[in-house]
Structure formats: structure tokens, C-alpha cells
Amino acid sequence: MELLGLYYYWVFAVLLMIGFYAVIAKPNLIKKLIGLSIFQAAVFLLYITMGKVEGGTAPIFQDGVTVYSNPLPQVLILTAIVVGISTTALGLGIVVRIKEEYGSIEEHDIQKRDRR
Amino acid sequence: MSNLAHHLPALQVIVPMLTAPLVMLLKPSGLARAAATAASLLAFAIAVTMTVGVLDGGTFTYQMGSWPAPYGIELGVDRFSALLLLIVTGASTFALLAGRRSVDADIDESRQPLFYAAWLLALAGLSGIPVAADAFNIFVFMEISSLASYVIIAGGADRRALPAVFKYLIMGTIGATFYLIGIGLIYLMTGTLNLADMELRIHEVADQKPILVAAGFITIGLALKAALFPLHVWLPNAYTYAPNTVTVFLAACSTKVSLYLLLRFDFFVFQGNLAGHDIQFAYFLMPLAVLAILIASGVALFEQNIKRLLAYSSIAQIGYILLGASFVTVAGLTASTVHLFNHALAKGALFLAVSCLATQCLGLRLNDLGGVAKRMPWTAGALVLAGLSLIGIPGTAGFISKWYLITAALEQGSLGIALVAVLVIGSLMAAVYIWRIVESIYFAEPNADLSAVREAPRMMLAVTWLAALANLYFGLAPEVPMTLAASAAETLLEHLP
């Protein structure tokens, strides 16, 4: 039962590994980037879940409310999301340049073309 | 004036960061370059001022927006970070001063302002990491520097830089995300992101599993960024196919900054808190460091491309730095910290000389460069001098750190003797691969394609020689880096039981 109670950590771990697997195993560069995005999104979820306090509400001071959620992890993750978007955008930009230069986005093809 | 001095840690980051968008708007590329060089020089001056400040004793701390730590964001510069700031800003300044012709050859004139803007962002990120005293800020600076580095590495004309940079982007992001998971777990347990506060608060929860997991994630993530063997695979191609000026800058400082962070986390934050951490750290790092020294030097022995050869040599040098740290003694950490500085000097000067060769010659393979020393005697001379420092010949900076490394290894008893053997074999292999370069540029059959080659532009030569002579200077008068390194080691080991 204890394991199920921690299900949000399982979601984090499973998503992290799905993303990591795609990054390592997929030869297609776009699929690698998708994997990388899933990998990062898993970490975002880890941060978001840790800020939640059961029964807690938004941290706005008002009468009759004593339990608040922690807003800081969400603020941190906003920054991390921006970093993630920039990384994905730059990665896609590089893939476009690779396609222009090599005519392919498959890892094996690119390696073959440089060996000649 | 004293008021301004108070703001120096913030200015260290703000100057390059705010000059970057300005540089992007400057249309004639000469203006952009001048502005970027000026910003980099100013950053170097700030780093030197702060070094003088910390040498007088005392540290710089700065509360962003006057919000007190640990809730506000804190910046801090002690002797260890001052050493790193010197390396980062110095490498950028030398590379920019020398880089005019080299950048002109590699990057389209119309895109140069963008290139210099990305360069300054990389500089801001890399100097932000030593300045920041907050784990999340460090992550943000790390990503700023990484993203900007990917841009400038891929900025050249060589298409092979693109797959190389893609690999670097994937591996770099995984490293940074591991670090983010690590600090997330620590935040979960302690509720703080300020490094000094974290160190105190981990104490209460040190026996809990998440802290151990966090230590693992942070160490592996940073080792990936620092190109510790066997996580180095992104490095050789990225350094080889990057524009030459970029290689000078990044080879001298980017992996060093990650190493700095690795040492700071593992010693400052975890050392006093995790039971048996020193032993785990040593057992994990020492074998990898030895493998890095032997295997990377071995690969460099057979490498044909001179940039790739030096890139593999960098991986071996990272091995030396971590070997010293894995002793977990003051002597070992002093040696590895001073080697951070000396290796940056030697590798910076070597890559500057290589960029001189690259502006004049067609190829950078060893047999393309046959007999080039006759045509470019000054460049060849600087290359040899920096090469001697890399090997560790007495009288050069490289000798100082190798000497301290061997002394520190001998303190380790019987294991130390074996490690001294590794250090000596590594240095001998360095002598061989540097000799291969010397042999081909001085003694090989003159290459017919090189008959029209002339000496590199004067400005490039002057900066290259300045860097090469710095190797001599810090070999003969090593007080400043030694003092900084020794007190860095003491700060790091403060928490050793």
C-alpha cells in the first residue's frame, strides 16, 4: 500500500526512464529530442508534486485558511520550463541545419556520410 | 569606490550579460567585436580586482536586491571561485583579442554580431557559476552557458560541427537535468537552495536515502558536464570541429567550471554530512581518473588531427585533476585546484597557437603541417613552449601542478607509488604526443602546399606568446595560484571529520 501511496514518484520515475530510453535508443534525431523533452518534463513533475500540501490552498493570506501549498517549486519550474523550451528549440534548429547539410536526420546516415 | 567594490560579484555577470544584446545590434562586425572584447576585458579586470580582494583576506558576498540569505539570492566569491573567475574571463579575453582573423575565416561577416552576442552569454553563464551561492541559480547559469556554447560551437563553416554539437546538447542536457533532480531531492528534504544553508540543514536528514540519491545524481550529472571518462564522448568532436577561437575559449574553461562545481558540491555540501562520503567519492573517482589518464593519453598518441589530439589530452588532464581530488587530502586538493589553473594556461596557449596555424594553413592534420616551423617560426616556438608546460617540464606551470600531484600521491602509502607510476606514464605519453607535433612541424619533409605560407598576423602572435610566456611566469613564480589553490583546498576540507 505504501508503494501505491507514493504513486506520483512512480509517475516521475517511469516518465524519466521512458524519456531516457528514447534519447539513447532512437536513431532519429527528432525522436531523440522528443525523448529529451519527456525526460525534462518528468523532472518538472517531481518539483511540482513536492510543493503540494494536502488540503493546502494558494498562498494568499485570507481568513479561515491555515494550510498553504509551497509556491517556490512552481516558480523554480517556470524557469526550468523556459530552459527546457530553449534547449528543445535550439536542438530543433540544429536538426534543421543537419538536414540541410546532410539530407538526413538518421544518426547512421549522418555518420556514413562523413566517413566518405 | 568602496560602494562599487561591493557590487563587483553582481557586475561580474551583469557586464557580459547586458553587453550581449547590445553587441547583437551593432551592425559593422568590427564594432561588435570591439564591444565584445571591451566587455570581456572589463570582466577580466573585475575578476582581477576581486582576486586581489580575496588575497588580502576576506570574501565578497552580495545579497541580490538586499534580501538577506537564505531566503534572498546570494552571490559569493571566495578564493576558489576567484581562481575560476580568473580562468574564465582570462580565457575569453585572450581568445577574443587574438581571434579577429580566425573568426573572420570561420564565420560569415553578417552573422558575426550574433556570434559575439552568444559568446558573451557563454561568458556570463560560465562566470555566473563560480559567483552564485544558490544551487538553482547555478543550474540557470549552467544552462545559459551551455546553450550559448552550443551556438558558438556550431557557428562555424564545418558541417561536422553540427552532429557533434547535437551530441553535446543531448549529453549536456542530461547532465544538467540530473543535477536538477539532485537539487530537487535536497530541496525536498531541507527546504533550502542556498549552498551554505543547505550544508547546515542536510545535517538533520543526512541519514535519509534521498540525500544519498541526490549526491549520486549531482555527482554523475556534473561528471558528465566535466567530461570525466567514460562520460567524455561529446568532447573530442565538439572541440575539433568548433571554430578555432571557440576551442581556445571553451577548452580552457568550460570543463573546469563543471569540475569546480563538482568539487564544491561533493566537499562543501556533502562531505561533512554523508557517512563515509570521502571513501565513496575516492573509490568512485580514482579508478575513473586513472583510466582517463591512461586511455585518453593513449588515444592522443595515435591521433592525426592536431585539435583532436589536444582534445584527448584535455580528457587526460581532467583525469589528473580528479585524481588529486580523490585523495581527499589538503595536498591532493591543492594539487588538483592548481592544475585547473595551469592546465587552462597550457591548453589555452596550445589552442591559440593552433588557431594561428589554422588561419595560415589548409589542414590541421599532422602530415598537412610538415615543416611548417620554417614558415611560421614564432607560432611553432609558442606551440613548443606551451607543449612543454603540458608535459610538465621544470620551469613551466605544468611542472608545479605535476610536482604537487606526485607529492600528494606519495602521502597515500603503497597505493600512492602505483599512482605515481600512472602520473609518470601519463606525462611520458604527453611527451610523446607533443613530440609527434614537434617532429612534424620541425623535422618532417616540407610540405609543398605550405611554400607560400607566411607567419600569422602580429596581433595573434603577440597574444599567443603572452599566453605561452604566462606558462613560464607561473612556472617560476607560482605564488598567486598556489595561495588561491591552497586556501581553496582548506575551505573544501573544512568539514572533514
Side-chain angles (χ1 to χ4, degrees):
Chain A
M1 240 14 244
E2 204 191 344
L3 282 181
L4 279 180
L6 295 172
Y7 70 93
Y8 31 85
Y9 292 119
W10 286 107
V11 171
F12 155 69
V14 169
L15 266 184
L16 191 77
M17 285 305 119
I18 291 174
F20 203 35
Y21 172 80
V23 171
I24 294 170
K26 296 289 175 190
N28 183 306
L29 300 187
I30 299 277
K31 287 184 184 165
K32 269 184 195 297
L33 279 177
I34 294 173
L36 198 66
S37 293
I38 298 174
F39 182 72
Q40 289 178 313
V43 183
F44 303 160
L45 289 181
L46 170 72
Y47 271 78
I48 296 298
T49 51
M50 75 170 82
K52 173 73 183 161
V53 176
E54 224 159 282
T57 168
I60 301 167
F61 196 68
Q62 61 193 101
D63 288 338
V65 180
T66 48
V67 184
Y68 301 107
S69 286
N70 184 353
L72 187 68
Q74 303 193 9
V75 178
L76 295 179
I77 263 357
L78 271 182
T79 316
I81 288 172
V82 173
V83 169
I85 289 173
S86 333
T87 312
T88 312
L90 182 58
L92 288 171
I94 293 168
V95 175
V96 170
R97 289 276 295 126
I98 288 177
K99 172 81 176 166
E100 283 171 7
E101 295 285 339
Y102 290 85
S104 168
I105 55 166
E106 297 290 329
E107 219 175 22
H108 314 300
D109 289 351
I110 296 165
Q111 280 167 358
K112 252 184 254 156
R113 260 158 244 219
D114 262 343
R115 220 166 277 148
R116 254 182 278 148
Chain B
M1 191 58 210
S2 66
N3 206 5
L4 187 66
H6 173 69
H7 293 286
L8 285 179
L11 286 174
Q12 182 77 72
V13 183
I14 287 173
V15 167
M17 192 175 269
L18 290 189
T19 321
L22 201 76
V23 160
M24 213 173 75
L25 299 174
L26 292 175
K27 257 301 148 219
S29 60
L31 261 182
R33 177 177 50 245
T37 316
S40 176
L41 263 173
L42 187 57
F44 186 48
I46 293 172
V48 171
T49 318
M50 285 204 286
T51 310
V52 174
V54 293
L55 277 176
D56 287 343
T59 49
F60 291 81
T61 46
Y62 186 80
Q63 321 284 350
M64 274 310 214
S66 296
W67 293 91
Y71 302 108
I73 289 165
E74 194 182 23
L75 303 180
V77 176
D78 62 4
R79 292 189 171 184
F80 193 13
S81 14
L83 187 74
L84 261 291
L85 289 175
L86 275 186
I87 297 175
V88 171
T89 54
S92 159
T93 310
F94 272 62
L96 280 176
L97 282 175
R100 182 175 158 197
R101 287 290 189 83
S102 186
V103 172
D104 281 345
D106 282 328
I107 288 146
D108 210 30
E109 170 111 23
S110 63
R111 282 192 302 172
Q112 278 188 19
L114 294 170
F115 171 80
Y116 286 116
W119 180 295
L120 285 178
L121 286 177
L123 174 63
L126 286 170
S127 39
I129 295 172
V131 165
D134 175 289
F136 198 82
N137 268 33
I138 289 175
F139 166 74
V140 174
F141 282 131
M142 193 153 79
E143 285 305 73
I144 292 176
S145 70
S146 305
L147 289 169
S149 317
Y150 308 146
V151 172
I152 52 180
I153 290 174
D158 193 332
R159 71 168 189 178
R160 285 169 300 181
L162 295 167
V165 105
F166 190 80
K167 190 186 250 171
Y168 185 12
L169 181 133
I170 296 282
M171 295 191 69
T173 308
I174 290 173
T177 311
F178 270 26
Y179 171 80
L180 190 63
I181 297 172
I183 58 172
L185 291 172
I186 295 181
Y187 180 75
L188 193 62
M189 299 304 291
T190 64
T192 184
L193 289 167
N194 183 296
L195 288 186
D197 197 34
M198 198 183 263
E199 200 276 319
L200 294 175
R201 292 218 207 166
I202 288 182
H203 228 67
E204 297 153 21
V205 287
D207 53 341
Q208 308 259 335
K209 281 274 161 18
I211 300 293
L212 195 63
V213 177
F217 268 116
I218 289 177
T219 310
I220 300 290
L222 293 176
L224 222 170
K225 290 234 135 197
L228 168 64
F229 182 87
L231 302 171
H232 66 279
V233 290
W234 57 265
L235 185 142
N237 277 352
Y239 281 12
T240 310
Y241 302 126
N244 296 301
T245 316
V246 174
T247 312
V248 175
F249 177 34
L250 295 182
C253 66
S254 76
T255 54
K256 310 287 182 305
V257 170
S258 308
L259 283 170
Y260 155 86
L261 202 54
L262 182 72
L263 295 182
R264 183 139 286 215
F265 253 100
D266 267 302
F267 287 99
F268 184 72
V269 178
F270 294 131
Q271 181 67 57
N273 289 315
L274 290 176
H277 176 258
D278 45 348
I279 298 168
Q280 289 165 0
F281 184 76
Y283 283 170
F284 171 64
L285 279 186
M286 200 181 282
L288 294 181
V290 169
L291 284 174
I293 295 172
L294 295 178
I295 295 179
S297 304
V299 174
L301 289 180
F302 298 100
E303 201 44 72
Q304 279 298 317
N305 183 314
I306 189 168
K307 277 175 90 177
R308 226 179 147 78
L309 188 157
L310 293 175
Y312 273 106
S313 146
S314 280
I315 298 167
Q317 306 294 326
I318 290 160
Y320 288 113
I321 294 166
L322 282 170
L323 185 65
S326 71
F327 300 155
V328 201
T329 58
V330 173
L333 271 173
T334 312
S336 66
T337 319
V338 82
H339 198 55
L340 279 177
F341 182 78
N342 289 342
H343 173 242
L345 276 182
K347 212 28 83 58
L350 275 168
F351 273 119
L352 276 171
V354 168
S355 73
C356 288
L357 289 175
T359 50
Q360 307 299 314
C361 310
L362 288 174
L364 281 175
R365 297 176 72 77
L366 286 179
N367 37 8
D368 295 331
L369 296 170
V372 77
K374 288 199 187 67
R375 302 268 152 209
M376 304 173 71
W378 287 97
T379 307
L383 192 71
V384 172
L385 185 55
L388 292 178
S389 176
L390 189 71
I391 302 168
I393 301 292
T396 59
F399 173 71
I400 305 286
S401 35
K402 292 264 170 80
W403 178 255
Y404 276 94
L405 265 177
I406 289 179
T407 322
L410 286 175
E411 285 177 6
Q412 299 296 305
S414 53
L415 176 67
I417 311 242
L419 292 175
V420 170
V422 170
L423 288 170
V424 171
I425 293 172
S427 302
L428 284 177
M429 290 206 266
V432 174
Y433 59 68
I434 295 295
W435 172 252
R436 286 181 63 221
I437 301 177
V438 172
E439 187 186 23
S440 105
I441 61 176
Y442 276 95
F443 305 115
E445 278 297 298
N447 193 330
D449 301 337
L450 296 178
S451 52
V453 164
R454 272 182 295 162
E455 188 54 279
R458 267 193 213 126
M459 186 62 190
M460 279 184 94
L461 268 187
V463 177
T464 309
W465 266 95
L466 196 63
L469 289 176
N471 278 293
L472 265 187
Y473 176 79
F474 286 111
L476 300 172
E479 284 82 17
V480 172
M482 278 311 297
T483 320
L484 292 174
S487 41
E490 270 160 33
T491 330
L492 288 176
L493 286 178
E494 241 169 34
H495 305 301
L496 200 65

